[in-house]
Amino acid sequence: MIEYLSGIVLVLGSLFCLVAALGVIRMPDTLTRMHAVTKAGSLGAGLVVLAHALFHQHPGIFLRAVSIIALLLLTAPVAAHIIARASYRSNIPLSERTWVDELNKK
Amino acid sequence: MLSIAIPVAFALLTAAQLLNLYRLLKGPSLLDRILALDTMYIDAIAMFILMGVYFHSAVYFEAALIISVMGFIGTVATSKFLMRGDILE
């Protein structure tokens, strides 16, 4: 039973990683790419780690899995924020379908 | 069940890494390449954990922890360097 559950969670997590990579390919500019990647990517990797912890059911492995998931969830927003900030500051052109840019109002 | 799930998950993660590699090689700006590298290290964590499930081993967790810390530091350092020309202010 637990083997079925961890298999399903494993495939689901890899599917989320693939969705994040599709977002990297398909989205029009850096900010939207960052938006697609930072949520789906960390969710996918977190689900894969959770599947391993479910499969082994050992307290040490569970502790390590929790620490990896916490580290991912703590660092992904910081990395996304600093990438977005650097891309805006260095004047990388936005997508041509952008219709509001509130930082640029002088 | 896991004998089916592990190859499927490996195939999906490999496809994700290849798509990220395409963006890394093509990316119009330097920050797109950094973003692709950021996604690639997160996918690499998932692949390491998957190797751990496949070999019934817990050794890969330490490698995944180190990759997650180092990847985050690399992303922040390169982005800050591109933004200001300096890492520590």
Side-chain angles (χ1 to χ4, degrees), chain B residues 20-74:
Chain B
N20 282 318
L21 195 65
Y22 171 74
R23 178 55 74 191
L24 176 69
L25 294 177
K26 183 169 173 281
S29 73
L30 204 47
L31 278 155
D32 286 318
R33 294 167 206 257
I34 294 176
L35 187 66
L37 272 180
D38 191 72
T39 319
M40 278 179 88
Y41 90 75
I42 291 180
D43 288 354
I45 294 172
M47 287 182 113
F48 262 88
I49 300 295
L50 206 55
M51 291 273 280
V53 180
Y54 183 68
F55 288 125
H56 292 276
S57 157
V59 185
Y60 292 94
F61 266 104
E62 276 80 9
L65 261 174
I66 292 174
I67 287 181
S68 68
V69 175
M70 289 298 156
F72 168 66
I73 290 175

Side-chain angles (χ1 to χ4, degrees), chain B residues 1-12 50 54:
Chain B
M1 177 64 191
L2 274 183
S3 58
I4 305 169
I6 288 176
V8 171
F10 258 126
L12 292 174
L50 206 55
Y54 183 68

Side-chain angles (χ1 to χ4, degrees), chain A residues 71-95:
Chain A
L71 209 60
L72 275 178
L73 292 185
L74 275 178
T75 57
V78 181
H81 171 250
I82 205 158
I83 285 175
R85 195 175 150 95
S87 93
Y88 194 85
R89 286 274 180 95
S90 49
N91 293 321
I92 291 172
L94 300 178
S95 159

Side-chain angles (χ1 to χ4, degrees), chain A residues 55-66:
Chain A
F55 177 64
H56 276 284
Q57 294 201 324
H58 183 269
I61 290 180
F62 189 73
L63 205 62
R64 282 176 228 169
V66 166

Side-chain angles (χ1 to χ4, degrees), chain A residues 35-70:
Chain A
H35 172 82
V37 157
T38 186
K39 296 164 188 69
S42 53
L43 177 63
L47 280 181
V48 173
V49 175
L50 184 69
H52 192 174
L54 278 179
F55 177 64
H56 276 284
Q57 294 201 324
H58 183 269
I61 290 180
F62 189 73
L63 205 62
R64 282 176 228 169
V66 166
S67 68
I68 288 182
I69 292 175

